[in-house]
Amino acid sequence: MASEKIERTAIEMNNADTNLRERSSLPPLQNSSNTQNLGIIERTFSAAGAAFLSVIIANPLDVAKTRLQAQAAGVAYSHPLSNMTSRMACFGPNMMFADLRCSPSCHRAGIQGTVSICPPECFRYKGTLDVIHKIIHQEGFRKLWRGTNAGLALAVPTVGIYLPCYDILRNWLEDFTAKNAPTTAPYVPLVAGSFARSLACATCYPIELARTRMQAFKVSQIDKKPPGVFQTLLGVMSHVKSINSSQNNLQGYRLLWTGMGAQLARDVPFSAICWSTLEPTRRKLLSFVRHDEANAFSVLGANFGAGFVAGTLAAGATCPLDVAKTRRQIEKDPIKALKMTTRQTLMEVWRDGGLKGLFAGFGPRVGRLGPSVGLVVSFYEVAKFVLHHRHNTSS
């Protein structure tokens, strides 16, 4: 009896262990094999939709981050009439009374809110919420979405290149490493993410330059329409003055790509950290869901959680490089802009502001990119899941 009971217990334990191993061996829901039959158009559509949502929702935090970094770089946000010289230059037939007004919340302004005795603190940003509050009261609520058109013009093609390229390259590298070098498999997300991000950045960089400048500089007159993407880029090129017209054009086009080295220095490590963190986190979360029980909500939850964690870590780690990128992109002196390097810029930031300067805009950057990465990745994967499910049911 005892021997039979022991034998039966051993058999039950063996069956339970077999079931556990079979469950753990089930491929994750979003494993590459599940969506390899999706075409590049379907992947690009999914990524573009994710980018659109991300830009619309997170743009105010991006504006706040850029303003804080530009202020640390020396950009003055004081009212154009806050000193006598500016007042004499600004008064004219086109001057509107609204242009004389300070923030309505300022109790130390002049008569009916004019800036005659408005203190400098009214035009200096102290933090993320302070930036948002002052932009709303001094420039209008819509200015929180300043640069959204450039963000959409940038994010939709960039993410439309970035995520599908990452997906396809990761699938290929996973198959290659599984057959030839299994020990290098953990480095696949790092390599695929870095390469895909470099390609996307190089393709659409001038639009990124325009967006940063649009967000960094405020319009002096309330009713004046701010320049768009094309006008901003023309303004960048028009700063180059030279006798030789051919050299002028060459330097003008070079200015459209100034700071790309700093952006690559930021984006490549960001992608490497992000995907190296996201992939194992996502697989761990998806392992709690059986393959036959998976649905769009489980895909959404696992990918948003993994993307949020990965985006937050990557954003915090690369903040100094983002500061350097912003400082290079807002430089108005064309000669200095062409000579600046990322290393020199970081040293200049450290010399001027120390550790606080290197992490200027840390709060809004992390607050934007954590949820943004989670939203982009989860939307992308859910769209892939739905398209894959529809493809299987229709075939």
Side-chain angles (χ1 to χ4, degrees):
M1 286 289 294
S3 61
E4 290 178 359
K5 183 179 290 188
I6 293 173
E7 184 177 355
R8 187 163 54 252
T9 303
I11 293 173
E12 290 175 355
M13 291 178 62
N14 184 52
N15 290 336
D17 183 63
T18 302
N19 291 334
L20 181 62
R21 281 187 280 110
E22 288 177 352
R23 181 183 177 118
S24 63
S25 64
L26 286 171
L29 178 62
Q30 291 301 298
N31 195 15
S32 60
S33 61
N34 286 346
T35 55
Q36 280 184 342
N37 57 347
L38 291 180
I40 186 67
I41 296 177
E42 293 168 315
R43 295 176 190 271
T44 303
F45 172 78
S46 302
F52 180 85
L53 287 177
S54 174
V55 169
I56 295 297
I57 294 173
N59 198 79
L61 285 174
D62 199 37
V63 172
K65 183 265 300 182
T66 304
R67 290 285 180 96
L68 288 171
Q69 292 179 348
Q71 178 177 259
V75 175
Y77 290 107
S78 60
H79 196 282
L81 302 179
S82 58
N83 59 72
M84 185 59 67
T85 304
S86 297
R87 289 179 210 167
M88 297 301 294
C90 286
F91 274 109
N94 296 325
M95 174 59 65
M96 304 294 292
F97 182 76
D99 297 323
L100 300 173
R101 294 187 61 80
C102 179
S103 168
S105 62
C106 178
H107 300 292
R108 291 174 290 178
I111 300 174
Q112 295 185 348
T114 57
V115 299
S116 57
I117 56 173
C118 190
E121 297 83 49
C122 291
F123 304 105
R124 181 160 186 84
Y125 302 130
K126 301 173 184 177
T128 304
L129 295 179
D130 190 51
V131 175
I132 294 174
H133 177 266
K134 286 178 178 175
I135 288 176
I136 291 174
H137 285 86
Q138 295 175 2
E139 303 173 55
F141 183 76
R142 290 187 300 175
K143 291 300 186 294
L144 289 175
W145 276 267
R146 179 87 171 100
T148 301
N149 55 344
L152 291 174
L154 171 72
V156 171
T158 299
V159 179
I161 295 170
Y162 178 36
L163 288 180
C165 285
Y166 168 78
D167 234 2
I168 294 170
L169 184 59
R170 184 200 62 197
N171 292 340
W172 182 82
L173 287 175
E174 283 178 347
D175 293 340
F176 179 82
T177 54
K179 296 176 183 177
N180 301 282
T183 56
T184 62
Y187 304 103
V188 166
L190 186 150
V191 175
S194 300
F195 179 82
R197 189 61 193 176
S198 300
L199 179 62
C201 174
T203 305
C204 305
Y205 181 77
I207 304 176
E208 169 67 25
L209 176 67
R211 183 180 68 158
T212 301
R213 285 180 170 249
M214 292 168 70
Q215 292 176 342
F217 303 115
K218 63 189 285 188
V219 180
S220 58
Q221 296 182 6
I222 296 176
D223 295 332
K224 183 179 179 181
K225 184 179 179 181
V229 179
F230 187 66
Q231 289 82 3
T232 301
L233 293 177
L234 286 179
V236 172
M237 297 177 63
S238 65
H239 285 203
V240 180
K241 305 291 184 181
S242 176
I243 299 176
N244 189 335
S245 60
S246 61
Q247 184 179 359
N248 180 25
N249 292 333
L250 178 61
Q251 288 184 339
Y253 286 117
R254 281 184 61 196
L255 279 174
L256 295 180
W257 301 90
T258 53
M260 192 179 78
Q263 176 142 341
L264 287 173
R266 180 200 69 174
D267 286 358
V268 172
F270 179 91
S271 294
I273 296 170
C274 182
W275 291 111
S276 297
T277 305
L278 190 147
E279 288 292 354
T281 306
R282 173 166 60 184
R283 287 185 179 131
K284 182 67 175 178
L285 293 174
L286 289 171
S287 67
F288 294 110
V289 182
R290 285 187 60 87
H291 181 62
D292 54 355
E293 297 174 353
N295 53 45
F297 291 103
S298 61
V299 176
L300 176 67
N303 282 280
F304 184 84
F308 183 88
V309 172
T312 300
L313 291 176
T318 57
C319 188
L321 295 167
D322 185 61
V323 172
K325 183 223 50 140
T326 300
R327 184 164 293 201
R328 292 193 63 186
Q329 288 179 335
I330 65 175
E331 176 57 54
K332 288 190 172 182
D333 184 354
I335 304 302
K336 185 178 179 181
L338 292 171
K339 292 182 178 180
M340 291 172 71
T341 65
T342 304
R343 179 176 174 274
Q344 291 173 347
T345 305
L346 287 172
M347 292 178 64
E348 181 181 326
V349 173
W350 173 262
R351 185 176 61 252
D352 294 343
L355 192 63
K356 184 179 180 180
L358 287 174
F359 285 89
F362 178 86
R365 174 170 166 78
V366 171
R368 177 181 71 90
L369 282 173
S372 181
V373 172
L375 178 64
V376 168
V377 173
S378 58
F379 184 95
Y380 179 60
E381 294 296 340
V382 168
K384 282 170 52 183
F385 174 79
V386 172
L387 291 172
H388 173 69
H389 181 71
R390 181 176 299 178
H391 177 80
N392 285 347
T393 54
S394 62
S395 58

